[in-house]
Amino acid sequence: EIVLTQSPGTLSLSPGERATLSCRASQSVSSSYLAWYQQKPGQAPRLLMYGASSRATGIPDRFSGSGSGTEFTLTITRLEPEDFAVYYCQQYGRSPFTFGQGTKLEI
Amino acid sequence: EVQLVESGGDLVQPGRSLRLSCAASGFTFDDYPMHWVRQAPGKGLEWVSGISWNGVNTAYADSVKGRFTISRDNSKNSLYLQMNSLRVEDTALYYCAKRDGAYDIWGQGTMVTVSS
């Protein structure tokens, strides 16, 4: 099983600042089958990024993803108030399709 | 509108069974694998199970293997999760998700509470 470790656990920033979230895998993630999801309280997760660096439909370009192998990063430039949420990475290249424990982005 | 709607969640005693359903609309259901993901109260996301577009291939998390069974009925655009021998630790909000590579569409979830 591929274990995903996200850091930091909580990130405290202000609107307009830049956020950098990390996801480290215990084994190489095949073909960069790495996704990022955003979840707000009381809502289902929403797909942000797939293939490590491709934005999902409707996701603004202030969100970007990078990385390969075992190290991946989600960057949010110019934080908007609606960006404060919990973010999860997931690998979907090999079953079980594991998630990271999440990073809470708070004001 | 592309939509997934889960149902079937309930309060059940340990050891009992429950069947969850997920109704799909707005897309060609039998073109896509479908998965179940759960979230215990105040916790993170946990992948539970997945099924191929035709139902031939299935996969399960170790935590549910041998107790849960995923299935689908493409004629009804529906996904199911049969949960047997339920445990307290199965208490969670259960989401169904459409897999197009990653999970691009999620339902709103159905709550399963296992308690005596």
Side-chain angles (χ1 to χ4, degrees), chain B residues 19-93:
Chain B
R19 189 196 196 205
L20 305 184
S21 299
C22 171
S25 59
F27 64 98
T28 306
F29 182 70
D30 55 11
D31 275 354
Y32 297 95
M34 295 293 295
H35 287 226
W36 289 98
V37 176
R38 68 185 181 184
Q39 187 169 35
K43 302 298 183 182
L45 302 172
E46 180 188 14
W47 176 78
V48 173
S49 182
I51 188 167
S52 59
W53 66 273
N54 58 3
V56 170
N57 297 305
T58 59
Y60 300 92
D62 285 346
S63 58
V64 307
K65 199 173 294 183
R67 299 187 299 121
F68 289 12
T69 302
I70 190 172
S71 62
R72 64 191 296 162
D73 185 338
N74 288 343
S75 69
K76 296 182 179 179
N77 289 346
S78 293
L79 175 72
Y80 306 102
L81 186 67
Q82 177 67 42
M83 303 186 296
N84 298 332
S85 302
L86 281 161
R87 303 169 180 169
V88 171
E89 55 265 34
D90 294 321
T91 294
L93 185 63

Side-chain angles (χ1 to χ4, degrees), chain A residues 1 33 35 37 39 42-47 49-50 88 90 92-93 95-101, chain B residues 35 37 39 43-47 59-62 95 99-109:
Chain A
E1 169 177 326
Y33 286 160
Y37 301 88
Q39 187 178 35
Q43 296 184 17
R46 177 175 71 146
L47 178 64
M49 311 292 301
Y50 63 92
Y88 295 95
Q90 182 209 19
Y92 55 96
S95 180
F97 298 151
T98 45
F99 290 88
Q101 82 280 17
Chain B
H35 287 226
V37 176
Q39 187 169 35
K43 302 298 183 182
L45 302 172
E46 180 188 14
W47 176 78
Y60 300 92
D62 285 346
Y95 295 102
R99 185 184 177 205
D100 185 2
Y103 300 151
D104 62 336
I105 304 295
W106 296 66
Q108 285 303 303

